[in-house]
C-alpha cells in the first residue's frame, strides 16, 4: 500500500510540471477542432446580397425599428459596383420633436417618411489604422446606451470582416423635445467602414452630400500619405472636424468651421460631449461663410457612378402605374378623396349597414317593417350600382388585371407608399389642429390607404351582385379572384370595415370561395387578437409571424384584418392544419370614440373576434386585466344568447410590459380572483339567459394556471431613440411555441367552415341589440332589475289613471260633468305621481348598487314623466270622446221629434207621388234609403269616426313597458311560440299555484290586500303569466310563481286593466281575437 501511494504521488508531481510547461508554451495542443469565426455583419450583408428587393425592404425596415444603422452605399462583392438601396427605405416613417426655441419651449412635431426628410448629414471617415473605434464614438453621439453601429468591441466581433469593408451605413438621431436631447433637430450620421483613403468613390459621394465631415486619423503629418485627403477637406468651404488619436492637444478651432481635437489621454465620454458641442455649434451657426446643406435620401438617385435599386425595369413599371394614381390624387382635398373617388364605401355603405342592422331588430308590424327596410336596402344597392366607376378605381383594377405577378407586387407596394405618405393630410392636421372638435370627421376622412381600394372593390362587387346576380359578365365579377390572389400571396385583407363597423358577407364569402378554388379546402387554425388601444397587438403579431400589420401610437388598425400564414412542410408533420389565419383587430376603448356607441361597437367587435377564432390572444398592457375582464363578460353573455351558432373558442391572456421576472408567481392570488370573477359572472349570465354554465371555461376554454403569460417591455428607454428589448423577442418566441403546442391539440376547421362561421356569427350578432350596450354582466342584471321596478311604477300610474277615468266616466254618464280640464286631471293624478317619484328616488339612492344605477337615473325619470303625461293625455282624449258622444246623443234625442215629423211629411209626399204607380217595394226602399242616408250624414258631420283597434300594437307596447325585450317578442312571434287565447280553453297549466290552494279558489276574493307593494307584485305576476300564455314561455321566477295570478281577482282586473281576454270589434264589425 505504501508503495502504491508513493507511485501515485510521483505521478501527480510530474503531471503538475507538465501543466506548467504547457502554460509557458506559445502553442497549446487542444483536442478541439479549430473553427473560423464569422463576423456578424458578414452574415447580415450575405443575407442582404442573397435577398430579393422585397425581403431587403423588410430587413431594412426591421433594422430601423431596432434602431440599427442601415446600409446606404453597398459595393457588389463580385463586380465592386456601388449600389444605393433606395427602395429599402421606402416603408420607414419616423417621428421626432424639434425644439425651436428652448427659452420659450416651442416644440414642433414632425412625422414623415425618412426618404423625404431633409436633414444635416455628418459623415465619419477613418484614414489609415487607428486604436480608437470610429463606430463606437458615433454610437456615443446617437445613443450611448445602444450600439447603433456595430464596432470592434461588440459581442461576436472578429478581427476580419469581408463584406462590410466599403459599406457606408446611415443612422439618424431623433430628438424627443426634452431638455436632455443631444441635438435640437434630426441629424443623419453616415459611417464609411474601412480605410477611407482607399475607398475613393464612396468617400467622394459622402463628402459631396455631407453638411460637414469628421475625420479620424492616428496623427497629422505633411509627409503622411493621407495628407492630400485631409488638406482637400480642409480647403473645402464645408466645416471639418479632425480627430487625432495620438495627439494630446485640446479642442482647437483653427479657423471658422475647422476644428482639431486630440484624443490621447482623454476619456471616451469627454470626447463624446466635446464633439456634441462642436456639432451643435456648427449646425446652429449663423455665419454666412459656412454653407448650409441638407441631405435627402431621394437625391441619391441623381448621383452618377452608382446603381440605384429602383432603376430596375420592373420596379419602374410598378412605380409608373402607381404614379398615375398619385398624380390623380395630387392637390386634392384629402378629406374629400374617398367621397369623390370611392363613393360606394362612404355614406351609402354606412347607410346600408345601419338599415341592415335595423332589419334584425324589427318593431310593430313585423312583416310591414321588414318589407320597408328590405326595399330601402335594395334602393341603396341600386344607388351604389348607379354611381359611376371613378377614374381612380378604373386605373387601380385595370393594373391589377393586366400586370404580371411580380409587376403587381411592385405596383401594390408603390401604391401603398404613395397613398399612405400623403403630405397634404399632415399639412391639414397641422394647419387646423386648433379646430379638432369641428374637424374630427374631416381628419378621419383624411386617412387614405391601400385598404380603401379593396373596400371599394368589395362594395362595387356586393352592389352589382345584389342587382345583377344573373348577369356576371362585368369586370366586377373578377374582383373576388383578384383579392384571393393577394390574400394567398400574403397581403392582409379587411374582414370587418372599421369605419362602418360591418362585415361585407357577400364579398368575404366570394373571396374565400375563390381561395378554396385555388388552394383547395385547406385546413386552417384561426388565431385572433383582442386588446385595448395601443397595447401592442399588431406589434406582437408582426414579431411572432413576420407580418406587416400597421403599427403606431393611436388607433392605427381599423376594424379587423385577416392574413394567411402558410406552414412549412416541416411544421405540417406535427400539425393537423395547413395554414394559420391571423386576425388583427383595432384597439378597444378608443379615446377618439366616446359614449354608448363606443361600448356597443367594442362589445360587438370583441364578440365577433373571439367567436371567429379557434384561439384569441387577450392582450393586456400591464398586469391589470380589469378592462378586458368586463368585455369578456359581455362576450360570454352574447354567446349564450346566440344559441344557434356553435362556438368553442379558447383564450390566452398575454400581459405585455411586465418587468418583474417573478410576475407569474407573485400574481397567483390575482389570477385566482380573476378566475372567480369570470366564473361568477358566467353563472350570473347563465341565470339571466336561462343557460347551463357553471364556470367561464364552459363557454370559452380558459385555464388560469396555464393560459396567462407575461411579456417583457418592448423598448429599452424612451422613444424615439429607444432600442428594442431582446427579452421581448425571446418572450414572443416562447409565446409562439405555446400557441403552436395548443394548436396541435386543438380542432381545426376548413376554409369553407371558416366562411360559414363568419356568416353565422355575424348574422347572430346583428340580431343582438341588448347586451352590447352594457359594460359587464352585472350591469345587465342590474338594468333588468331597474326595468322590473319601472314596470311596477308604470303600473301604479296606469292603475291610478284607470281609476280616475272610471270615476269621471260615471260622472259624465250621470250628467254631473260636461267638460274635462287638463289641469284637473293633472291635479287628480299628482298625488300618485309624487309617490312614484319618491319611490324612484329612494330606489336610486338606497340601492346597494346606486353608483352604477346613477347612469340611468335621468333617462328613467324622463321616461316616467313622459309616461305620466301620456296617460293624462290619453284619459282626457277618451273622456272628451265620451262627452262628445253624450252631446251627440242629446242632439239626436232633441232632434228626434223633428225627424219623425219630417219622415211623416216625406212619406205623405212620396205616397202622393206614387199613388198612381203600381206598388214597387224596391222603389220605396231606394227612396227611403236616399232620405235616411242624407239625414245621417247631416247628423254625424261633427262626430269623430271610431278608430280601428290594433290589439297587436297595444299588447307589444304593454309587454315592452313590462321590460320584455322587443327582439325576444318578435322572435317568439316569428317562430310561432304564441297561443290564441280564445282557443286555449284551459290555460291553468301556464299558472303555478301554492301547494295549499286549488283551482276552485281562483275566483274567490283575495285576502291579501295589506299593502300596495304586495298588490304591485301581483300585477306584475299577472302580466308575466299573460306573457307566458301568449308566447308559450314561463317567465316567472320561483318566488313569482308562488305569488301567481291565482291570487288575483280576475273580475277586478278586468275592470282595472285593458281587457285582453274579451273579443273586440273594429269599425267594420270584424271580430278581433286577443291574439298577436
Amino acid at each position: 500500500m505504501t508503495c502504491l501511494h508513493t507511485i501515485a504521488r510521483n505521478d501527480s508531481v510530474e503531471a503538475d510540471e507538465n501543466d506548467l510547461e504547457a502554460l509557458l508554451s506559445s502553442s497549446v495542443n487542444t483536442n478541439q477542432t479549430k473553427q473560423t469565426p464569422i463576423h456578424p455583419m458578414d452574415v447580415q450583408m450575405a443575407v442582404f446580397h442573397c435577398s430579393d428587393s422585397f425581403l431587403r425592404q423588410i430587413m431594412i425596415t426591421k433594422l430601423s425599428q431596432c434602431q440599427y444603422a442601415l446600409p446606404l452605399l453597398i459595393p457588389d462583392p463580385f463586380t465592386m459596383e456601388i449600389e444605393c438601396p433606395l427602395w429599402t427605405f421606402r416603408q420607414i416613417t419616423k417621428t421626432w420633436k424639434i425644439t425651436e426655441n428652448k427659452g420659450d419651449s416651442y416644440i414642433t412635431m414632425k412625422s414623415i417618411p425618412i426618404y423625404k426628410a431633409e436633414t444635416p448629414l455628418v459623415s465619419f471617415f477613418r484614414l489609415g489604422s487607428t486604436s480608437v473605434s470610429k463606430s463606437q464614438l458615433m454610437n456615443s453621439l446617437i445613443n450611448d446606451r445602444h450600439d447603433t453601429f456595430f464596432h470592434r468591441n461588440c459581442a461576436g466581433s472578429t478581427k476580419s470582416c469581408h463584406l462590410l469593408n466599403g459599406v457606408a451605413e446611415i443612422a439618424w438621431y431623433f430628438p424627443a423635445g426634452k431638455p436632455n436631447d443631444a441635438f435640437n433637430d434630426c441629424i443623419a450620421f453616415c459611417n464609411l467602414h474601412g480605410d477611407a483613403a482607399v475607398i475613393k468613390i464612396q468617400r467622394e459621394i459622402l463628402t459631396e452630400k455631407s453638411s460637414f465631415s469628421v475625420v479620424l486619423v492616428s496623427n497629422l503629418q505633411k509627409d503622411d500619405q493621407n495628407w492630400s485627403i485631409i488638406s482637400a477637406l480642409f480647403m473645402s468651404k464645408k466645416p471639418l472636424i479632425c480627430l487625432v488619436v495620438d495627439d494630446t492637444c485640446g479642442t482647437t478651432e483653427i479657423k471658422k468651421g475647422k476644428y482639431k481635437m486630440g484624443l490621447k489621454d482623454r476619456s471616451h465620454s469627454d470626447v463624446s460631449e466635446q464633439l456634441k458641442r462642436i456639432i451643435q455649434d456648427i449646425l446652429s451657426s449663423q455665419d454666412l461663410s459656412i454653407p448650409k446643406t441638407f441631405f435627402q435620401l431621394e437625391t441619391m438617385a441623381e448621383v452618377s457612378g452608382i446603381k440605384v435599386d429602383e432603376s430596375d425595369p420592373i420596379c419602374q413599371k410598378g412605380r409608373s402605374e402607381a404614379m398615375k394614381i398619385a398624380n390623380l390624387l395630387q392637390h386634392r382635398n384629402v378629406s374629400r378623396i374617398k367621397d369623390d373617388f370611392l363613393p360606394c364605401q362612404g355614406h351609402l355603405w354606412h347607410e346600408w349597414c345601419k338599415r341592415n342592422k335595423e332589419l334584425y331588430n324589427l318593431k310593430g308590424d313585423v312583416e310591414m317593417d321588414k318589407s320597408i327596410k328590405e326595399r330601402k336596402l335594395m334602393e341603396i344597392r341600386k344607388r351604389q350600382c348607379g354611381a359611376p366607376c371613378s377614374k381612380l378605381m378604373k386605373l387601380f383594377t385595370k393594373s391589377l388585371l393586366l400586370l404580371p405577378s411580380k409587376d403587381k407586387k411592385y405596383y401594390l407596394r408603390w401604391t401603398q407608399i404613395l397613398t399612405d405618405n400623403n403630405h397634404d393630410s399632415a399639412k391639414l392636421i397641422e394647419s387646423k389642429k386648433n379646430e379638432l372638435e369641428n374637424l374630427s370627421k374631416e381628419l378621419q376622412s383624411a386617412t387614405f390607404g391601400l385598404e380603401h381600394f379593396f373596400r371599394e372593390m368589395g362594395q362595387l362587387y356586393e352592389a352589382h351582385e345584389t342587382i345583377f346576380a344573373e348577369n356576371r359578365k362585368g369586370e366586377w365579377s373578377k374582383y373576388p379572384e383578384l383579392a384571393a390572389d393577394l390574400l394567398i400571396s400574403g397581403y392582409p385583407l379587411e374582414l370587418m370595415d372599421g369605419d362602418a363597423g360591418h362585415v361585407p358577407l357577400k364579398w368575404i364569402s366570394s373571396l374565400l370561395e375563390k381561395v378554396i378554388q385555388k388552394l383547395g379546402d385547406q385546413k386552417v387554425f384561426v388565431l385572433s387578437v383582442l386588446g385595448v388601444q395601443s397595447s401592442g397587438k399588431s406589434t406582437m403579431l408582426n414579431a411572432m409571424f413576420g407580418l406587416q400589420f400597421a403599427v403606431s401610437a393611436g388607433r392605427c388598425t381599423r376594424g379587423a384584418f385577416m392574413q394567411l400564414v402558410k406552414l412549412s412542410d416541416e411544421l405540417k408533420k406535427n400539425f393537423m392544419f395547413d395554414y394559420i389565419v391571423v386576425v388583427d383587430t383595432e384597439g378597444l376603448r378608443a379615446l377618439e370614440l366616446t359614449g354608448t356607441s363606443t361600448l356597443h361597437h367594442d362589445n360587438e367587435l370583441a364578440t365577433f373576434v373571439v367567436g371567429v377564432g379557434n384561439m384569441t390572444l387577450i392582450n393586456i398592457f400591464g398586469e391589470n386585466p380589469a378592462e378586458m375582464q368586463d368585455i369578456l363578460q359581455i362576450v360570454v353573455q352574447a354567446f349564450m344568447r346566440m344559441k344557434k351558432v356553435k362556438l368553442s373558442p379558447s383564450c390566452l391572456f398575454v400581459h405585455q410590459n411586465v418587468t418583474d421576472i417573478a410576475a407569474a408567481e407573485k400574481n397567483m392570488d390575482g389570477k385566482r380572483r380573476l378566475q372567480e370573477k369570470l366564473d361568477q359572472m358566467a353563472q350570473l349570465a347563465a341565470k339571466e339567459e336561462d343557460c347551463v354554465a357553471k364556470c367561464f371555461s364552459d363557454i370559452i376554454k380558459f385555464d388560469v394556471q396555464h393560459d396567462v403569460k407575461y411579456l417583457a417591455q418592448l423598448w429599452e428607454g424612451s422613444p424615439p431613440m429607444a432600442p428594442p428589448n431582446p427579452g421581448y423577442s425571446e418572450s414572443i418566441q416562447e409565446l409562439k411555441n405555446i400557441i403552436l403546442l395548443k394548436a396541435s391539440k386543438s380542432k381545426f376547421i376548413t376554409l369553407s367552415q371558416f366562411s360559414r362561421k363568419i356568416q353565422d356569427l355575424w348574422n347572430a350578432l346583428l340580431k343582438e341589440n341588448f347586451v352590447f350596450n352594457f359594460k359587464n354582466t352585472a350591469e345587465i342584471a342590474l338594468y333588468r332589475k331597474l326595468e322590473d321596478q319601472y314596470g311596477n311604477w308604470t303600473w301604479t300610474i296606469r292603475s291610478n289613471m284607470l281609476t280616475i277615468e272610471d270615476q269621471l266616466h260615471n260622472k259624465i254618464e250621470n250628467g254631473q260633468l260636461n267638460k274635462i280640464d287638463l289641469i284637473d286631471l293633472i291635479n287628480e293624478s299628482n298625488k300618485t305621481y309624487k309617490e312614484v317619484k319618491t319611490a324612484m328616488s329612494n330606489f336610486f339612492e338606497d340601492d346597494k348598487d346606486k353608483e352604477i344605477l346613477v347612469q340611468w337615473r335621468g333617462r328613467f325619470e324622463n321616461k316616467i314623466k313622459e309616461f305620466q303625461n301620456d296617460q293624462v293625455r290619453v284619459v282626457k282624449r277618451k273622456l272628451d270622446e265620451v262627452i262628445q258622444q253624450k252631446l251627440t246623443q242629446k242632439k239626436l234625442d232633441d232632434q228626434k221629434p223633428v225627424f219623425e215629423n219630417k219622415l211623416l211629411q216625406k212619406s205623405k209626399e212620396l205616397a202622393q207621388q206614387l199613388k198612381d204607380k203600381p206598388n214597387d217595394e224596391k222603389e220605396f226602399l231606394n227612396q227611403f234609403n236616399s232620405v235616411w242616408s242624407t239625414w245621417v250624414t247631416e247628423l254625424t258631420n261633427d262626430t269623430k269616426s271610431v278608430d280601428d283597434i290594433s290589439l297587436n300594437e297595444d299588447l307589444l307596447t304593454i309587454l315592452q313597458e313590462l321590460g320584455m325585450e322587443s327582439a325576444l317578442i318578435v322572435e317568439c312571434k316569428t317562430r310561432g311560440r304564441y297561443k290564441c287565447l280564445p282557443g286555449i280553453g284551459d290555460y291553468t297549466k301556464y299558472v303555478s299555484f301554492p301547494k295549499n290552494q286549488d283551482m276552485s279558489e281562483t275566483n274567490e276574493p283575495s285576502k291579501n290586500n295589506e299593502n300596495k307593494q304586495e298588490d304591485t307584485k301581483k300585477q306584475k305576476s299577472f302580466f308575466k303569466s299573460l306573457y307566458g300564455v301568449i308566447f308559450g314561455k314561463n317567465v316567472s321566477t320561483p318566488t313569482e310563481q308562488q305569488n301567481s295570478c291565482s291570487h288575483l281577482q280576475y273580475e277586478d282586473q278586468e275592470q282595472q286593466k285593458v281587457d285582453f281576454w274579451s273579443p273586440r270589434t273594429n269599425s267594420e264589425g270584424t271580430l278581433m281575437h286577443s291574439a298577436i
Side-chain angles (χ1 to χ4, degrees), residues 686-890:
K687 182 179 178 181
E688 291 284 328
E689 304 302 336
D690 194 22
C691 292
V692 179
K694 296 182 180 179
C695 58
F696 177 80
S697 58
D698 288 345
I699 310 299
I700 300 176
K701 293 179 183 178
F702 173 68
D703 182 357
V704 74
Q705 298 301 326
H706 302 97
D707 294 341
V708 179
K709 303 301 174 185
Y710 297 89
L711 301 184
Q713 72 275 15
L714 173 59
W715 302 111
E716 288 186 337
S718 301
M721 295 306 297
N725 177 16
Y728 178 82
S729 299
E730 295 170 2
S731 302
I732 289 292
Q733 185 59 41
E734 292 175 7
L735 177 62
K736 181 179 179 181
N737 293 336
I738 293 170
I739 293 171
L740 293 178
L741 179 62
K742 289 181 173 291
S744 64
K745 301 175 182 178
S746 302
K747 293 181 180 179
F748 60 84
I749 60 175
T750 62
L751 281 171
S752 58
Q753 291 172 336
F754 177 57
S755 178
R756 288 194 298 271
K757 187 177 185 180
I758 292 172
Q759 295 186 58
D760 294 342
L761 179 60
W762 184 245
N763 286 328
L765 284 173
L766 290 176
K767 295 177 183 178
E768 181 52 62
N769 195 36
F770 177 69
V771 299
F772 293 153
N773 294 313
F774 298 91
K775 185 178 180 181
N776 51 42
T777 301
E779 275 199 2
I780 297 175
L782 197 58
Y783 187 83
R784 282 175 169 163
K785 175 183 175 182
L786 176 58
E787 283 190 324
D788 288 343
Q789 290 295 328
Y790 178 74
N792 296 335
W793 297 327
T794 55
W795 170 249
T796 302
I797 294 175
R798 186 194 298 273
S799 176
N800 179 57
M801 291 308 300
L802 286 172
T803 302
I804 294 173
E805 181 183 350
D806 288 344
Q807 293 172 353
L808 296 179
H809 185 274
N810 291 334
K811 289 184 179 181
I812 293 171
E813 290 293 336
N814 296 332
Q816 301 174 4
L817 191 64
N818 296 323
K819 183 180 179 182
I820 299 296
D821 289 330
L822 184 64
I823 190 66
D824 293 337
L825 281 177
I826 293 174
N827 293 334
E828 192 76 21
S829 62
N830 209 28
K831 180 181 178 182
T832 302
Y833 178 56
K834 287 182 178 179
E835 291 175 356
V836 169
K837 287 179 66 176
T838 302
M840 283 186 68
S841 180
N842 292 336
F843 176 79
F844 281 109
E845 293 174 2
D846 299 339
D847 193 274
K848 62 183 178 121
D849 297 309
K850 58 184 179 182
E851 293 84 2
I852 303 176
L853 285 168
V854 70
Q855 62 181 308
W856 302 307
R857 180 169 184 170
R859 189 202 316 171
F860 274 83
E861 286 178 345
N862 290 334
K863 285 176 67 175
I864 282 290
K865 183 177 181 180
E866 292 173 4
F867 182 81
Q868 162 75 5
N869 294 336
D870 288 343
Q871 290 296 309
V872 170
R873 286 193 293 268
V874 168
V875 170
K876 184 179 187 307
R877 177 177 56 80
K878 288 181 179 180
L879 294 177
D880 285 343
E881 290 175 357
V882 172
I883 292 174
Q884 181 64 34
Q885 291 175 3
K886 190 79 175 174
L887 294 175
T888 303
Q889 182 66 39
K890 184 176 182 305

Side-chain angles (χ1 to χ4, degrees), residues 90-191:
R90 291 291 184 178
Q91 285 197 308
I92 302 173
T93 298
K94 291 293 184 179
T95 302
W96 67 93
K97 293 183 178 180
I98 305 171
T99 305
E100 300 287 352
N101 189 329
K102 286 192 174 182
D104 298 334
S105 298
Y106 181 66
I107 297 174
T108 306
M109 188 189 77
K110 279 192 175 183
S111 181
I112 57 176
I114 199 63
Y115 65 86
K116 287 184 176 293
E118 295 184 0
T119 64
L121 175 64
V122 182
S123 294
F124 280 70
F125 306 110
R126 172 174 60 83
L127 298 178
S129 178
T130 63
S131 59
V132 175
S133 171
K134 168 171 51 69
S135 299
Q136 191 171 7
L137 182 60
M138 294 181 69
N139 290 339
S140 65
L141 298 177
I142 299 174
N143 188 343
D144 55 5
R145 291 180 295 178
H146 174 63
D147 291 326
T148 304
F149 295 95
F150 195 92
H151 56 85
R152 66 184 67 168
N153 297 319
C154 285
S157 179
T158 63
K159 191 172 183 180
S160 60
C161 182
H162 304 285
L163 297 179
L164 191 61
N165 195 44
V167 174
E169 289 187 306
I170 189 170
W172 287 264
Y173 174 82
F174 300 105
K178 297 180 179 179
N180 60 347
D181 287 339
F183 306 102
N184 296 336
D185 203 344
C186 177
I187 302 176
F189 292 90
C190 195
N191 182 13

Side-chain angles (χ1 to χ4, degrees), residues 586-759:
E586 66 179 84
L588 307 176
R589 304 294 189 253
L591 295 176
E592 60 266 32
L593 300 177
T594 56
T596 55
S597 60
T598 310
L599 200 63
H600 187 283
H601 171 271
D602 286 352
N603 290 334
E604 184 178 68
L605 175 65
T607 305
F608 177 75
V609 170
V610 175
V612 82
N614 296 101
M615 177 185 289
T616 302
L617 302 179
I618 308 299
N619 192 59
I620 300 165
F621 193 78
E623 300 179 18
N624 186 6
E627 204 59 65
M628 295 305 303
Q629 179 180 292
D630 287 340
I631 292 175
L632 283 178
Q633 294 174 28
I634 297 298
V635 171
V636 166
Q637 188 147 356
F639 285 167
M640 290 179 180
R641 293 167 70 91
M642 297 185 296
K643 299 179 178 67
K644 276 189 173 183
V645 185
K646 296 181 180 179
L647 300 170
S648 56
S650 63
C651 69
L652 185 66
F653 278 66
V654 180
H655 293 264
Q656 293 206 47
N657 203 46
V658 178
T659 56
D660 193 343
I661 59 173
E665 290 74 15
K666 291 182 179 179
N667 286 322
M668 290 296 295
D669 186 60
K671 291 194 289 186
R672 179 184 59 80
R673 295 191 181 193
L674 170 66
Q675 181 78 68
E676 291 176 355
K677 182 70 173 178
L678 292 175
D679 290 345
Q680 179 186 353
M681 292 299 102
Q683 292 168 7
L684 179 60
K687 182 179 178 181
E688 291 284 328
E689 304 302 336
D690 194 22
C691 292
V692 179
K694 296 182 180 179
C695 58
F696 177 80
S697 58
D698 288 345
I699 310 299
I700 300 176
K701 293 179 183 178
F702 173 68
D703 182 357
V704 74
Q705 298 301 326
H706 302 97
D707 294 341
V708 179
K709 303 301 174 185
Y710 297 89
L711 301 184
Q713 72 275 15
L714 173 59
W715 302 111
E716 288 186 337
S718 301
M721 295 306 297
N725 177 16
Y728 178 82
S729 299
E730 295 170 2
S731 302
I732 289 292
Q733 185 59 41
E734 292 175 7
L735 177 62
K736 181 179 179 181
N737 293 336
I738 293 170
I739 293 171
L740 293 178
L741 179 62
K742 289 181 173 291
S744 64
K745 301 175 182 178
S746 302
K747 293 181 180 179
F748 60 84
I749 60 175
T750 62
L751 281 171
S752 58
Q753 291 172 336
F754 177 57
S755 178
R756 288 194 298 271
K757 187 177 185 180
I758 292 172
Q759 295 186 58

Side-chain angles (χ1 to χ4, degrees), residues 98-318:
I98 305 171
T99 305
E100 300 287 352
N101 189 329
K102 286 192 174 182
D104 298 334
S105 298
Y106 181 66
I107 297 174
T108 306
M109 188 189 77
K110 279 192 175 183
S111 181
I112 57 176
I114 199 63
Y115 65 86
K116 287 184 176 293
E118 295 184 0
T119 64
L121 175 64
V122 182
S123 294
F124 280 70
F125 306 110
R126 172 174 60 83
L127 298 178
S129 178
T130 63
S131 59
V132 175
S133 171
K134 168 171 51 69
S135 299
Q136 191 171 7
L137 182 60
M138 294 181 69
N139 290 339
S140 65
L141 298 177
I142 299 174
N143 188 343
D144 55 5
R145 291 180 295 178
H146 174 63
D147 291 326
T148 304
F149 295 95
F150 195 92
H151 56 85
R152 66 184 67 168
N153 297 319
C154 285
S157 179
T158 63
K159 191 172 183 180
S160 60
C161 182
H162 304 285
L163 297 179
L164 191 61
N165 195 44
V167 174
E169 289 187 306
I170 189 170
W172 287 264
Y173 174 82
F174 300 105
K178 297 180 179 179
N180 60 347
D181 287 339
F183 306 102
N184 296 336
D185 203 344
C186 177
I187 302 176
F189 292 90
C190 195
N191 182 13
L192 179 58
H193 290 278
D195 187 356
V198 297
I199 309 173
K200 184 178 179 180
I201 299 177
Q202 293 92 312
R203 186 188 72 233
E204 290 178 349
I205 293 172
L206 294 179
T207 303
E208 179 186 349
K209 291 292 183 182
S210 299
S211 301
F212 62 92
S213 303
V214 179
V215 178
L216 185 66
V217 295
S218 294
N219 51 64
L220 283 178
Q221 294 179 0
K222 279 192 175 183
D223 56 350
D224 191 276
Q225 60 180 354
N226 300 320
W227 179 252
S228 60
I229 299 174
I230 296 174
S231 60
L233 292 173
F234 191 84
M235 297 304 293
S236 170
K237 292 182 179 180
K238 293 183 178 180
L240 172 67
I241 302 175
C242 195
L243 304 178
V244 186
V245 176
D246 297 332
D247 199 334
T248 58
C249 69
T251 303
T252 306
E253 186 175 11
I254 300 172
K255 71 173 190 176
K256 199 64 177 177
K258 310 296 181 180
Y259 294 85
K260 175 185 175 182
M261 183 192 301
L263 305 184
K264 190 174 181 179
D265 299 331
R266 298 185 67 173
S267 66
H268 188 82
S269 60
D270 181 35
V271 173
S272 174
E273 290 301 319
Q274 189 66 37
L275 198 54
K276 287 179 183 178
R277 284 195 291 270
I278 295 173
I279 294 173
Q280 185 65 46
D281 290 342
I282 292 174
L283 295 178
S284 60
S285 174
Q286 302 298 321
D287 194 331
L288 298 178
S289 64
I290 300 177
K292 297 286 185 180
T293 58
F294 292 92
F295 171 74
Q296 188 179 24
L297 272 173
E298 277 191 320
T299 60
M300 294 299 293
E302 304 167 2
V303 177
S304 60
I306 66 170
K307 174 187 174 184
V308 179
D309 56 355
E310 290 183 357
S311 60
D312 182 70
I314 299 178
C315 182
Q316 287 297 313
K317 175 66 174 176

